[in-house]
Amino acid sequence: MKGRHLAVLVLPLTALALWWGFQDARKRLSANRMLAVVEARSQMAAQNPQVATRVLESNLAVLRQAAELDPGEVGIPMARAGQFLLMRRHAAAVRAYEEGIALEPRAELYANLARAHLDEGSRDLARQAIETAVLLDHNQYRHFRKFLEEERRLRVLRRERAEAAKGPIIFSDAFESGDLSRWSEAVQD
């Protein structure tokens, strides 16, 4: 008798959980279909500049609907960022990539964020994103090798200029100012 009473309680709950899971899967499937449509339409817009702006704006509306259906899908903010980049709206693309990173920190998202920062003109933010991308996936280094080498060269050049701007080291000035690091440098020379 106890098994029957338990079954009467468990079966409706199981049915409800299955129905809920089915609804959730249906929403995710719809969101994925919307992503596929946006990708196809983006390729069409790239081939036909006359309709590009209209298509990209329409794609953004579709992606908003997809985000409502599946807010945890990292592909949606990635696709939105791509649309923004095609529209040359770099700040909006940066925000979309950051949303994607909040969902799932991936090396490719950081790499794309770095490219958006570079397009925007923010080299320091781009460098930080590149360093994170390389930490997550060392293969990203080959994509940004030239940029990182240039940044390293500029850093050394800035340091050398700062040292040269200090002027010649005079023993008494270094000793009286308390800057013994400069005094020890002069002694070593």
Side-chain angles (χ1 to χ4, degrees):
M1 204 63 167
K2 289 183 182 181
R4 279 190 188 161
H5 293 293
L6 186 60
V8 169
L9 292 174
V10 172
L11 285 176
L13 290 175
T14 304
L16 183 62
L18 286 172
W19 180 81
W20 196 279
F22 174 74
Q23 295 301 320
D24 196 38
R26 201 178 92 221
K27 287 179 183 180
R28 282 196 310 272
L29 182 62
S30 295
N32 283 334
R33 284 185 187 143
M34 289 176 174
L35 276 172
V37 167
V38 164
E39 184 177 330
R41 291 173 63 187
S42 295
Q43 291 174 358
M44 180 194 69
Q47 295 171 358
N48 190 351
Q50 288 85 10
V51 298
T53 304
R54 248 189 345 236
V55 170
L56 296 174
E57 288 291 341
S58 173
N59 284 350
L60 288 173
V62 170
L63 289 170
R64 277 191 291 277
Q65 291 173 345
E68 290 173 6
L69 292 173
D70 191 4
E73 172 59 48
V74 72
I76 294 170
M78 283 178 65
R80 266 194 13 252
Q83 303 301 302
F84 287 132
L85 286 176
L86 289 172
M87 298 168 74
R88 307 230 184 272
R89 293 171 52 188
H90 303 294
V94 165
R95 285 191 303 274
Y97 281 127
E98 288 171 346
E99 288 174 26
I101 288 169
L103 290 173
E104 186 178 332
R106 293 184 186 173
E108 67 184 282
L109 283 170
Y110 280 104
N112 289 331
L113 175 64
R115 288 184 183 98
H117 278 309
L118 285 173
D119 289 345
E120 195 178 34
S122 305
R123 287 184 70 88
D124 289 336
L125 294 173
R127 182 183 40 76
Q128 291 171 2
I130 289 169
E131 288 172 354
T132 306
V134 170
L135 281 174
L136 292 173
D137 179 9
H138 68 278
N139 291 323
Q140 292 292 332
Y141 180 80
R142 64 189 162 112
H143 299 295
F144 295 105
R145 183 175 49 84
K146 289 181 183 178
F147 174 83
L148 292 171
E149 288 172 356
E150 177 69 14
E151 283 293 304
R152 197 173 301 121
R153 190 185 67 73
L154 289 174
R155 203 174 320 128
V156 168
L157 186 61
R158 280 188 225 114
R159 190 178 327 124
E160 289 172 355
R161 286 183 182 164
E163 289 295 321
K166 289 180 183 178
I169 300 172
I170 301 172
F171 289 111
S172 61
D173 288 348
F175 188 74
E176 289 172 10
S177 69
D179 187 1
L180 298 180
S181 65
R182 293 188 74 209
W183 181 73
S184 65
E185 288 173 8
V187 171
Q188 290 172 359
D189 292 340

